[in-house]
Amino acid sequence: MHGLINRAIQCFAVDTYGQEKWLDATKVADLDFVDFEAMLIYDDDLTPRILDALAQVMDRPRPELMEDLGTYLVSHPTVEALRRLLRFGGVNFVEFLHSLDDLPDRARLAVSDLNLPRIELREHGTGRFSLVCDCPIAGYGHVMMGILRTMADDYGTLAVLDHQGGGQGTEVISISLIETEFAEGRVFDLGARAG
């Protein structure tokens, strides 16, 4: 697993729960280190181990924790770059949804050896979609739920999301758009601001 993913989990844990809880999770996961390096590649089994350990330390269900991780990834000031990458997907939430199929390729443009799981949007009629996520780690669909909820708010869209479960390495999220202009969306400028 790419170190960026594991480092994001670490940053989420530290920013949300504090360094002490993170250190407790590394002990429960039986890691012989406490910091993930963003540009290293780690054994695939380390990621589910640290997620399980963090869920145990926080006494929270892992799917709930993973949805919070998805929310963190697009809302916390320390990871603003990911929100910016996602916002380039479209001027409204529907365009954003249609851009998700290309997300793994866009991520590889930024980090060539980062392989995000494949995701496929399916449209089922006006305002009704499903997102099929390849899941190398059980619960990846819950991370996408957190991302989608936050991005819907970011665009000012009222949407109902439901994790439909999955099997055979995939998870499915149903998406129903209730009101695409429900509220004023968060400001987004194409150019990043210095300072």
Side-chain angles (χ1 to χ4, degrees), residues 12 30 36 62 68 89 111 131-132 142 157 159 190:
F12 160 70
D30 198 28
F36 283 102
R62 184 168 142 187
D68 288 350
V111 182
L131 188 68
V132 180
H142 290 283
T157 298
L190 288 177

Side-chain angles (χ1 to χ4, degrees), residues 123-188:
E123 192 162 357
H124 305 289
T126 305
R128 293 184 356 191
F129 304 87
S130 60
L131 188 68
V132 180
C133 309
D134 281 354
C135 295
I137 298 171
Y140 176 71
H142 290 283
V143 174
M144 288 305 300
M145 289 263 300
I147 290 171
L148 291 173
R149 281 189 206 286
T150 306
M151 293 306 292
D153 287 347
D154 207 68
Y155 280 102
T157 298
L158 179 60
V160 176
L161 306 172
D162 187 34
H163 191 281
Q164 300 289 305
Q168 300 179 343
T170 63
E171 294 178 20
V172 179
I173 301 167
S174 71
I175 306 163
S176 298
L177 304 184
I178 307 303
E179 179 64 52
T180 57
E181 294 180 19
F182 180 71
E184 187 174 334
R186 202 167 142 204
V187 174
F188 176 71

Side-chain angles (χ1 to χ4, degrees), residues 75-98:
S75 65
H76 198 275
T78 61
V79 284
E80 179 70 15
L82 179 57
R83 174 186 173 256
R84 293 189 58 70
L85 176 70
L86 292 173
R87 281 299 296 255
F88 276 107
V91 296
N92 60 47
F93 189 65
V94 174
E95 286 184 14
F96 161 75
L97 288 174
H98 284 286

